[in-house]
Amino acid sequence: MPSVVIVGAQWGDEGKGKITDFLARDADMVVRYQGGANAGHTVVVDGVTYKLHLVPSGIIHGKTCVIGNGCVVDPETLLREIEYLHGHGVDTQGRLWISDAAHLIMPYHQRLDALQEQLRGDQRIGTTGRGIGPAYADKAARTGIRVGDLLDEALFRQRLERNVRQLNDLMHRVYDSEPFDVRAIAEQYLDLASRLRPYITDTAALINEALDQGRRVLFEGAQGTMLDLDHGSYPYVTSSYPSAGGACIGAGVGPTRIDHVIGVAKAYTSRVGDGPFPTELDDEIGEWIRQKGREFGTTTGRPRRCGWLDAVVLRHAVQVSGLGGLALVHLDTLGGLERVRIASAYEYRGQRLERLPHGAHQLAQCRPIYEELPGWDEDISSARRFEDLPENARNYVRRVEALVGVPVQLLSIGPDRAQTIALDDVFAAAARARGAGAR
Ligand code: IMO
Ligand code: MG
């Protein structure tokens, strides 16, 4: 049975939650493999809006959901989200599983996130302030505390004490900031642990067993390719691996078990946080897209920066994540513009560039080379088939496919689950890919 990875093909906020929800209908299990509560995934079902940060979007369909080892977990935020789901009549007991190997976000990670941003001054990254960077830094430095450690009180206290002792020195000498109270943190986290205990397990075993039994597994990416620690616009990135390879490490499955990768992209581009963005629109069209597309952050409420679609970015996502298709969302938002543009390449130091340059510093010097297409005026949000769309909207989609080099498999024309047009059966495409691989 096929497994599919859903990845963001831009700078995050592409609508991965909606696409996950749409595909989850035909899946058995949905897995988050990286990131933390920096993500904000919105799902609208029958007019009810659900906003999720850590729990996979498949939970609303009653699917088995996993927070994999590649994630960083803030237990308080997670428990709040679980209560929020219960309040909406969505059950989590026996359905939601958290990896014992996922790392914990501690209160000091959040404060460090804010202090480090202050120190960066005008070179700040514009993080979500959720402690993501410092938590992954501790993981790489091998001083992190993992979810499974919560289940062994003595071990947890020992690791916490070691970390806080070192940290308080840093707070005093470098940041001129208050010390942390080990006892208070220990009490808080051990109390949260007693409530999280039933959800904690070896999730890599759970996912591999599901695959062994022929179940359909969806991997729900958070953030996007351009925020990937290795493949994004470094250093304006997050501290994990949103691209498809992250699913293997972050869930504990081998690359041979992934059959298909679908990239989610808006019909334009948005970015929240700092860093270069070649197709950004600082004018009234940018503002118009922001208002019509409701481009305000789910996690922080920040207005998102908006601009034209960037095919260079999407080709990069195809390359580093092995995309077999695209889910193109927010096509309805572009309706009403007389002309629409797509960046097909960049101009960099007098030369035409077809691919992304080395890093943020070079990207900041790139000027987009645009193609212009006629827009469409009609409201397309109630279309149900590709053929229902006005000719110019169809031509836009076809042009995106030609520039990016992969087919558009899903098209979203509004926030509701029903406002999705399937041009292909994604699981069938995955099964085809598996068949081709087997030969
Ligand atoms: P979803 O899953 C959009 C951005 C932040 C900042 C950078 C680093 O909803 O697509 P971090 O807090 O991760 O250290 O911030 O990454 N960022 C996102 N932007 N959507 C997200 O998640 C994001 N998660 C992080 O704005 O620029
Ligand atoms: Mg977001």
Side-chain angles (χ1 to χ4, degrees):
M1 272 296 167
S3 60
V4 174
V5 182
I6 298 169
V7 298
Q10 296 163 318
W11 273 282
D13 300 327
E14 298 93 345
K16 296 174 291 294
K18 176 185 162 162
I19 297 303
T20 303
D21 173 71
F22 182 78
L23 293 176
R25 204 175 41 185
D26 300 322
D28 301 297
M29 183 183 267
V30 184
V31 181
R32 271 281 307 269
Y33 56 88
Q34 45 70 232
N38 48 348
H41 294 180
T42 306
V43 178
V44 184
V45 183
D46 299 331
V48 183
T49 302
Y50 300 85
K51 288 185 192 291
L52 297 168
H53 298 286
L54 204 53
V55 176
S57 305
I59 200 77
I60 297 158
H61 268 297
K63 304 294 171 163
T64 303
C65 285
V66 173
I67 298 175
N69 56 276
C71 298
V72 283
V73 176
D74 175 348
E76 194 172 12
T77 309
L78 176 58
L79 282 163
R80 212 180 305 128
E81 195 158 296
I82 289 172
E83 274 160 28
Y84 161 87
L85 286 165
H86 292 172
H88 280 76
V90 180
D91 205 9
T92 59
Q93 286 287 345
R95 278 191 194 149
L96 175 65
W97 301 102
I98 306 160
S99 169
D100 55 4
H103 279 248
L104 287 170
I105 295 201
M106 306 299 294
Y108 45 83
H109 292 137
Q110 281 165 36
R111 200 199 293 174
L112 276 171
D113 196 350
L115 290 170
Q116 288 169 356
E117 280 284 84
Q118 262 171 38
L119 274 187
R120 288 183 192 115
D122 61 7
Q123 309 216 359
R124 69 181 181 278
I125 293 164
T127 72
T128 58
R130 297 295 188 270
I132 305 294
Y136 279 114
D138 262 358
K139 173 177 174 173
R142 293 157 292 182
T143 48
I145 306 179
R146 305 201 291 175
V147 169
D149 297 341
L150 282 172
L151 304 180
D152 183 334
E153 185 176 334
L155 182 77
F156 177 77
R157 283 185 190 276
Q158 186 197 344
R159 296 200 163 151
L160 181 67
E161 263 163 40
R162 175 201 59 193
N163 286 359
V164 170
R165 205 180 319 121
Q166 289 177 7
L167 204 66
N168 279 347
D169 202 34
L170 192 74
M171 286 296 127
H172 176 65
R173 286 173 201 255
V174 177
Y175 290 108
D176 193 23
S177 185
E178 294 290 301
F180 288 97
D181 179 348
V182 180
R183 244 166 227 230
I185 300 175
E187 296 327 309
Q188 184 200 356
Y189 271 60
L190 289 168
D191 175 54
L192 295 168
S194 64
R195 293 156 62 199
L196 275 187
R197 184 178 285 270
Y199 296 100
I200 302 172
T201 192
D202 174 356
T203 53
L206 198 73
I207 300 163
N208 280 288
E209 275 160 27
L211 288 166
D212 291 344
Q213 289 163 9
R215 306 241 186 274
R216 287 176 166 187
V217 179
L218 267 183
F219 296 89
E220 177 182 4
Q223 290 79 52
T225 311
M226 294 301 287
L227 293 170
D228 187 280
L229 186 54
D230 272 49
H231 300 292
S233 47
Y234 193 86
Y236 295 94
V237 293
T238 190
S239 298
S240 67
Y241 303 104
S243 45
C248 294
I249 301 288
V253 301
T256 48
R257 308 208 84 165
I258 308 288
D259 298 308
H260 183 68
V261 185
I262 184 166
V264 187
K266 282 176 180 158
Y268 47 91
T269 310
S270 77
R271 173 163 205 183
V272 60
D274 294 75
F277 174 2
T279 62
E280 181 168 16
L281 289 166
D282 268 328
D283 57 7
E284 62 279 9
I285 298 185
E287 182 55 30
W288 187 86
I289 293 176
R290 179 156 43 248
Q291 294 302 333
K292 192 166 178 212
R294 300 166 304 277
E295 293 294 353
F296 297 89
T298 311
T299 299
T300 58
R302 292 179 288 180
R304 295 180 186 138
R305 302 155 66 192
C306 296
W308 297 118
L309 188 70
D310 188 334
V312 183
V313 163
L314 297 188
R315 286 197 295 266
H316 179 66
V318 169
Q319 187 173 71
V320 303
S321 282
L323 303 186
L326 282 177
L328 194 67
V329 308
H330 268 280
L331 187 67
D332 53 308
T333 301
L334 289 186
L337 291 167
E338 210 174 307
R339 313 192 68 74
V340 284
R341 290 176 149 193
I342 305 174
S344 53
Y346 298 149
E347 189 201 303
Y348 174 66
R349 297 187 172 166
Q351 298 217 355
R352 187 184 165 93
L353 266 194
E354 302 280 340
R355 303 223 149 265
L356 271 188
H358 169 70
H361 181 72
Q362 292 76 18
L363 189 61
Q365 297 168 54
C366 289
R367 300 278 148 269
I369 299 172
Y370 284 120
E371 284 191 15
E372 204 166 64
L373 286 87
W376 56 93
D377 228 352
E378 299 87 335
D379 175 12
I380 61 169
S381 59
S382 52
R384 289 297 168 267
R385 297 172 315 155
F386 188 66
E387 301 77 59
D388 297 340
L389 298 176
E391 191 185 358
N392 287 348
R394 276 183 281 138
N395 287 341
Y396 185 80
V397 174
R398 293 307 180 207
R399 191 63 200 142
V400 172
E401 290 180 321
L403 284 170
V404 179
V406 296
V408 170
Q409 296 182 303
L410 298 175
L411 205 52
S412 172
I413 44 163
D416 208 276
R417 195 184 269 175
Q419 292 171 303
T420 317
I421 299 174
L423 285 83
D424 194 1
D425 178 331
V426 173
F427 280 109
R432 284 198 302 274
R434 157 162 298 198
R439 245 175 271 131

